[in-house]
Amino acid sequence: MADCIHHIDLCPDCDGLRTVRLNRVPGVTSLTLNGDSPAISYQGPAAVYVGPVPGPCPNPPEGAGHG
């Protein structure tokens, strides 16, 4: 499996292309996601990738954020 992957999407502020590098967490054998709805659990080897949450748009539309 790859040590990293790249997530690509469109910025919701300026519609520009943005990419985020996600790094693989080795040795994951189970996974549980908790939230507002019932938890989701998985048992067994899993490929889990984590990375930073995209920050604010570096190219906001003209006039955005100006009062």
Side-chain angles (χ1 to χ4, degrees), residues 29-52:
T29 57
S30 67
L31 181 67
T32 301
L33 301 175
N34 296 307
D36 293 335
S37 56
I40 298 171
S41 293
Y42 173 80
Q43 298 293 317
V48 176
Y49 295 84
V50 296

Side-chain angles (χ1 to χ4, degrees), residues 9-63:
D9 66 2
L10 294 177
C11 175
D13 296 324
C14 72
D15 293 327
L17 187 64
R18 62 184 183 180
T19 63
V20 175
R21 178 186 165 126
L22 304 174
N23 294 310
R24 185 168 184 254
V25 179
V28 176
T29 57
S30 67
L31 181 67
T32 301
L33 301 175
N34 296 307
D36 293 335
S37 56
I40 298 171
S41 293
Y42 173 80
Q43 298 293 317
V48 176
Y49 295 84
V50 296
V53 175
C57 179
N59 303 308
E62 185 128 353

